[in-house]
Amino acid sequence: MNKKAVVVLSAALFLIGGVLTGCGNSSSSKRNSHTAALVTDGGGIDDKSFNQSAWTGLKAWGKSHDLTKGVNGFNYAESSSNSDFTPNINKLIKANYKTIFGIGYNLDNAISDAAKDNSKVNFAIIDSVVKNRKNVASVTFKTEQSSFLAGVAAAETTKTNKVGFVGGVKSSLIKTFQAGFQQGVKAVNPKIKVDVKYAGSFTKADVGQSLATAMYNNGEDVIYHAAGGTGAGVFTAAKNASKSGNKVWVIGVDQDQKADGKYSGGNVTLASSVKEVGTAVEDLSNDAMKNKFPGGKTLSYDLKDDGVSLVNDNMSKSAWKIVQSYQKKIENGSIKVSAE
Amino acid sequence: MVKQKYSGLIVSLSAVLAGLIVGGIIMLVFGYSPLQNYGNLLNGAFGDIYSIGETLRNAAPLMLTGLGFSIASRAGFFNIGGSGQYLVGWFGSIIFALKFSFLPGWLLIIGALIAGSLLGGIWSWIAGFLRAYFGTSEVITTIMLNYIALYFVNFAVKQWFAAKGADASANILKKASLRVSWLTKLTDNSTFNMGFLIALIFIVIMWVYMTKTKSGFEINSVGLNPQASKYAGIDTKKTIMIAMLLSGVLAGLAGCIDGLGNYQNISVSNSLPNIGFDGMAVALLANEHPIGIVFASILFSALQIGGLSISVYSTTPPEIVDIVIASIIFFVGIRYLFERLIAPMLQKKGVKN
């Protein structure tokens, strides 16, 4: 390429640019009373986990107020890497969304910075606490409580007295799942061994599958996963083991994962430790609509207010009864679950 | 010879056009409007000063990883390790900025840039060394080094630099940041920073180096024919290592400017950053020409940043942009087809003239 070529290339680029800008969108002037959007953490709105349940909540909110997806209603922006957070948030601000959710603790810096520059927009951060911003609501979940119940369910179901835990990235958040699970197992039977493994990622189903396969081969018959998309591999491993005659279980996470456990011979989902990110998103959007957005506050969801829960998918009746009795004990405070 | 010079450019432009057309067809098939989406994409990338700032900010590291890949490629090596080199560069620069925060701002930034790019350079030099002395395939070693970089950086950040339970180091001081207030203000609060200028400077330096210096000439000739170069008295082992070192320095520098300019800290990564691979695509699209790399990386960056707007303004899933990018690379890959199609056309023209 020589200089001429460069000139031609740049001219061509600008020409294409000029032509296309001409037909850029013009957002319609008719605006609804309130609009909301969310920015995902790595992984899309179909991750069968965290991001998806947030998006489901936002969709439900939109539906209940007759809003459609788009600039006049509700929307999402997917981040394929951490460097997308800030541009995504800013694009949503520019598109005039009134309430913007950051789904996941990774976004806390980006949300905090954006909130500083845009004091009229409501921001919410899930799973983290952003301090000193009056327009940011922080939402946390007492997932150690639902994980405790998952531990009880696992301990009541295991026949080998060996159960497993597969975490995504070893962070303080995922450790609350691990800690709750271990306490739950111990409460039922201190002799049961809990094998803890981390995949190092929330998006690697292949790693999840190889970890889980090894664990099932090692005689662990219930695995609780807190690993987002990596957990899909745990389900695959469980289905493969069950198909070949070794009936094993998975405890799902974040949303009811019963559908993920289906296979030709039955279902491997024992229970799901649900975290109602969707409910939180819906609640906050409603609050914002009524001009009651809890900016600057930290909202903590727990078992009592159904922010977290254990959903029975395929548990035996007796096991479920015991889980429920533990749930009451946690709710009335006679059992305290530690987050560490 | 003019024909040859233009054919690279024509192939690249046709590939971009073909990629956009394929994306458009897919949008049509699924009932979305290509005009509206490309309009939104363009607006999202260049529509206002803020978007331009983001696009150029995102283009800068792409330029450097693309340039890095192309230097190794000129010497005949396929450096797939851009992502790992970028990651250690990012790590090195942030750690330097945190540990030597008592230094004055300009010294701190220069030190951090040197620390990061040097770390990136060492990372790929390892592959170059193994290649030069043991004939180990650099494809394998750079891939493996990518994973070593990923897990080492994750471990180091968690173990030594992050607060208990956190996933990221502290933020660097403002004086160590490549963001300067006048650039931020100029671009309406975007993350645009000095990194873009640094990248441009290195484009010029590497262009001069590859075309005007003896060492650059040696890299080119080793790539064209290692045996003949050796016979001509070029120290091929040294040249291999220099090419790989430079390649890593550039990728490491990309990590530095992203770290100091964009992220302001180092965090645990879920997976290898894509930027190393995107840099390869940029280099391929640009036919490994430094000036071409500038435009190719702005184009890729525009697709990425503008692509984020697609789902904001319409119901089209944002993944469509990935299809467009992938098809562009695909069409660059089959450049042979274009050359066969285009060469006869050019020849006809030549006869007429």
Side-chain angles (χ1 to χ4, degrees):
Chain A
M1 262 196 267
N2 57 7
K3 272 183 205 156
K4 255 189 184 169
V6 174
V7 173
V8 172
L9 179 64
S10 44
L13 272 177
F14 278 104
L15 207 69
I16 299 172
V19 171
L20 281 179
T21 324
C23 44
N25 78 299
S26 52
S27 57
S28 76
S29 52
K30 230 184 167 186
R31 221 154 229 303
N32 238 305
S33 53
H34 200 82
T35 53
L38 60 86
V39 178
T40 70
D41 196 347
I45 45 142
D46 49 1
D47 65 349
K48 302 210 167 177
S49 183
F50 197 62
N51 292 317
Q52 184 166 354
S53 75
W55 177 234
T56 312
L58 196 61
K59 274 198 293 193
W61 170 78
K63 215 175 177 188
S64 65
H65 296 286
D66 279 328
L67 298 176
T68 51
K69 181 178 176 304
V71 279
N72 295 319
F74 57 95
N75 213 335
Y76 67 89
E78 280 186 355
S79 315
S80 53
S81 75
N82 292 7
S83 66
D84 288 346
F85 294 157
T86 302
N88 266 335
I89 293 169
N90 282 316
K91 274 174 198 294
L92 294 174
I93 294 171
K94 277 193 191 305
N96 276 322
Y97 289 98
K98 299 276 164 50
T99 303
I100 295 170
F101 294 88
I103 309 301
Y105 60 91
N106 277 328
L107 284 98
D108 54 5
N109 263 340
I111 288 282
S112 174
D113 288 348
K116 198 168 89 185
D117 297 334
N118 300 279
S119 53
K120 283 188 181 159
V121 182
N122 298 324
F123 291 92
I125 181 85
I126 308 282
D127 274 347
S128 182
V129 177
V130 170
K131 283 175 192 150
N132 304 326
R133 296 274 183 272
K134 280 187 176 164
N135 52 337
V136 181
S138 307
V139 181
T140 58
F141 293 87
K142 294 223 175 276
T143 34
E144 63 272 17
Q145 296 185 345
S146 53
S147 300
F148 184 97
L149 298 183
V152 173
E156 287 295 331
T157 309
T158 179
K159 288 181 179 134
T160 57
N161 277 357
K162 279 196 241 174
V163 298
F165 173 86
V166 173
V169 175
K170 205 170 185 174
S171 58
S172 53
L173 174 72
I174 299 302
K175 276 197 178 154
T176 66
F177 288 86
Q178 181 199 330
F181 183 67
Q182 284 170 321
Q183 290 166 60
V185 172
K186 214 174 166 191
V188 175
N189 181 356
K191 280 183 190 156
I192 296 177
K193 269 193 188 161
V194 183
D195 182 16
V196 175
K197 291 269 175 358
Y198 278 87
S201 166
F202 289 112
T203 49
K204 287 197 178 133
D206 55 327
V207 179
Q209 187 179 345
S210 53
L211 277 179
T213 306
M215 291 162 93
Y216 287 131
N217 286 341
N218 184 34
E220 295 155 32
D221 56 355
V222 184
I223 293 180
Y224 175 38
H225 91 84
T230 303
V234 177
F235 277 97
T236 314
K239 284 182 239 177
N240 287 342
S242 295
K243 271 182 213 160
S244 56
N246 174 23
K247 182 66 192 173
V248 294
W249 298 103
V250 186
I251 300 177
V253 82
D254 289 348
Q255 60 175 5
D256 189 352
Q257 293 198 296
K258 192 173 187 180
D260 298 283
K262 241 186 223 163
Y263 71 106
S264 53
N267 195 311
V268 295
T269 312
L270 181 66
S272 300
S273 151
V274 175
K275 169 172 167 181
E276 298 286 359
V277 181
T279 315
V281 168
E282 208 177 336
D283 288 353
L284 281 175
S285 306
N286 277 326
D287 291 346
M289 206 169 197
K290 293 179 215 145
N291 281 327
K292 284 182 186 161
F293 190 76
K297 288 185 187 143
T298 301
L299 312 171
S300 180
Y301 285 79
D302 59 10
L303 273 182
K304 227 180 196 170
D305 54 27
D306 286 331
V308 296
S309 59
L310 191 79
V311 175
N312 180 9
D313 292 319
N314 286 296
M315 261 189 267
S316 69
K317 265 187 193 158
S318 60
W320 180 236
K321 259 190 186 161
I322 294 168
V323 167
Q324 283 174 313
S325 74
Y326 273 102
Q327 179 166 354
K328 271 184 201 128
K329 282 182 199 163
I330 295 174
E331 283 176 1
N332 66 27
S334 60
I335 291 182
K336 287 219 161 56
V337 188
S338 153
E340 279 178 23
Chain B
M1 281 321 281
V2 178
K3 237 177 4 196
Q4 279 243 310
K5 277 183 175 169
Y6 278 122
S7 80
L9 178 64
I10 292 171
V11 167
S12 299
L13 284 180
S14 329
V16 172
L17 201 64
L20 290 174
I21 291 172
V22 167
I25 292 173
I26 290 173
M27 284 182 223
L28 275 180
V29 168
F30 288 96
Y32 304 114
S33 156
L35 269 185
Q36 187 204 0
N37 282 325
Y38 283 136
N40 285 337
L41 188 150
L42 213 81
N43 246 338
F46 299 112
D48 49 35
I49 188 77
Y50 168 83
S51 310
I52 294 174
E54 286 294 344
T55 303
L56 295 185
R57 185 271 303 159
N58 187 44
L62 271 177
M63 260 178 228
L64 290 170
T65 50
L67 196 63
F69 175 79
S70 74
I71 301 282
S73 169
R74 281 292 177 86
F77 300 114
F78 213 64
N79 178 7
I80 307 186
S83 290
Q85 292 143 21
Y86 165 92
L87 203 57
V88 293
W90 174 14
F91 175 73
S93 66
I94 295 293
I95 298 311
F96 186 93
L98 288 175
K99 291 283 156 189
F100 296 91
S101 54
F102 52 85
L103 292 173
W106 62 274
L107 197 61
L108 191 57
I109 289 177
I110 291 177
L113 289 176
I114 292 176
S117 47
L118 214 61
L119 213 54
I122 292 171
W123 215 254
S124 75
W125 174 83
I126 297 172
F129 171 78
L130 291 172
R131 169 79 203 209
Y133 286 95
F134 303 103
T136 324
S137 163
E138 77 283 359
V139 173
I140 311 257
T141 50
T142 49
I143 291 178
M144 292 303 144
L145 282 166
N146 272 347
Y147 285 102
I148 297 173
L150 173 65
Y151 293 114
F152 168 73
V153 170
N154 280 356
F155 168 79
V157 169
K158 275 228 75 104
Q159 199 71 17
W160 300 318
F161 300 107
K164 189 174 171 285
D167 266 353
S169 75
N171 282 7
I172 55 172
L173 293 178
K174 227 176 185 156
K175 63 176 179 180
S177 171
L178 287 173
R179 284 192 207 176
V180 284
S181 56
W182 65 274
L183 277 180
T184 310
K185 268 185 203 140
L186 182 75
T187 56
D188 199 6
N189 279 331
S190 83
T191 49
F192 188 59
N193 57 66
M194 299 300 280
F196 185 72
L197 300 178
I198 296 176
L200 281 186
I201 291 170
F202 272 84
I203 289 274
V204 175
I205 293 177
M206 290 322 288
W207 184 51
V208 171
Y209 173 77
M210 290 304 282
T211 52
K212 310 280 183 217
T213 68
K214 178 168 157 267
S215 173
F217 175 79
E218 287 178 351
I219 290 178
N220 273 322
S221 71
V222 167
L224 288 171
N225 191 336
Q227 265 84 29
S229 310
K230 207 173 174 185
Y231 186 69
I234 295 174
D235 185 347
T236 48
K237 284 187 175 137
K238 196 179 119 199
T239 308
I240 291 173
M241 286 193 289
I242 288 180
M244 285 300 278
L245 181 77
L246 282 176
S247 175
V249 163
L250 290 167
L253 192 65
C256 296
I257 64 175
D258 247 0
L260 300 176
N262 187 21
Y263 296 113
Q264 318 283 326
N265 65 3
I266 173 99
S267 54
V268 171
S269 315
N270 254 326
S271 53
L272 281 167
N274 270 330
I275 189 149
F277 309 112
D278 293 342
M280 291 165 64
V282 162
L284 287 177
L285 179 62
N287 211 4
E288 292 170 4
H289 190 286
I291 309 295
I293 285 175
V294 174
F295 288 97
S297 52
I298 292 176
L299 175 78
F300 268 72
S301 171
L303 287 171
Q304 288 170 347
I305 297 288
L308 299 174
S309 285
I310 282 188
S311 75
V312 171
Y313 291 104
S314 74
T315 50
T316 316
E319 282 84 357
I320 192 77
V321 178
D322 298 333
I323 296 181
V324 172
I325 292 177
S327 354
I328 291 176
I329 300 169
F330 171 77
F331 285 113
V332 173
I334 55 165
R335 64 167 64 227
Y336 178 71
L337 184 75
F338 285 103
E339 276 163 5
R340 283 300 288 270
L341 283 173
I342 289 161
M345 284 198 300
L346 282 177
Q347 260 167 8
K348 265 184 211 159
K349 257 190 189 166
V351 171
K352 264 184 199 168
N353 290 342

